[in-house]
Amino acid sequence: MAQPDDMLDDEDYPAYTMGRAAEIIGCSQDFLRRLGDAKLIDPQRSGGGHRRYSRYQLRLAARAREMCDQGTDIASACRIIILEDQLEEALRRNERHQQG
């Protein structure tokens, strides 16, 4: 079982409530819900059904908010970020394949 310090260092650990996540990013809770609807982030749920966000998800949400603030509609921003994330992962896999 993971130790508490390990969980805090894990960028995928769902440490943030919706309210705290919105505060950190500087957006509304509705904006976070809409990012979920657009399939950019899929927050985990607590035992009581509340959304919980990881640092990784907060980075994606902050990027989406930045793009929306610059005039990009939310659906386009989400699609761009998803494609950027997929490209980054493909490049990492390609690099590992070439090294091994």
Side-chain angles (χ1 to χ4, degrees), residues 50-64:
H50 300 282
R51 291 174 178 88
R52 304 285 298 188
Y53 297 87
S54 68
R55 286 194 320 245
Y56 173 73
Q57 290 170 327
L58 293 185
R59 280 198 302 278
L60 294 178
R63 177 78 175 116

Side-chain angles (χ1 to χ4, degrees), residues 31-72:
F31 182 78
L32 290 175
R33 283 186 205 94
R34 290 172 44 214
L35 294 180
D37 293 343
K39 307 287 190 249
L40 178 62
I41 55 178
D42 183 20
Q44 290 189 20
R45 298 287 180 143
S46 69
H50 300 282
R51 291 174 178 88
R52 304 285 298 188
Y53 297 87
S54 68
R55 286 194 320 245
Y56 173 73
Q57 290 170 327
L58 293 185
R59 280 198 302 278
L60 294 178
R63 177 78 175 116
R65 196 206 96 218
E66 179 182 296
M67 292 177 76
C68 290
D69 287 350
Q70 294 173 356
T72 304

Side-chain angles (χ1 to χ4, degrees), residues 10-93:
D10 182 355
E11 74 171 11
D12 294 318
Y13 180 72
Y16 302 96
T17 63
M18 177 181 269
R20 182 67 179 129
E23 181 182 321
I24 290 169
I25 296 166
C27 68
S28 67
Q29 293 181 16
D30 183 60
F31 182 78
L32 290 175
R33 283 186 205 94
R34 290 172 44 214
L35 294 180
D37 293 343
K39 307 287 190 249
L40 178 62
I41 55 178
D42 183 20
Q44 290 189 20
R45 298 287 180 143
S46 69
H50 300 282
R51 291 174 178 88
R52 304 285 298 188
Y53 297 87
S54 68
R55 286 194 320 245
Y56 173 73
Q57 290 170 327
L58 293 185
R59 280 198 302 278
L60 294 178
R63 177 78 175 116
R65 196 206 96 218
E66 179 182 296
M67 292 177 76
C68 290
D69 287 350
Q70 294 173 356
T72 304
D73 69 88
I74 195 166
S76 297
C78 290
R79 187 66 184 139
I80 290 166
I81 293 166
I82 289 167
L83 290 171
E84 287 174 342
D85 201 45
Q86 290 172 343
L87 175 60
E88 186 177 314
E89 177 59 26
L91 291 172
R92 275 195 301 268
R93 275 193 238 148

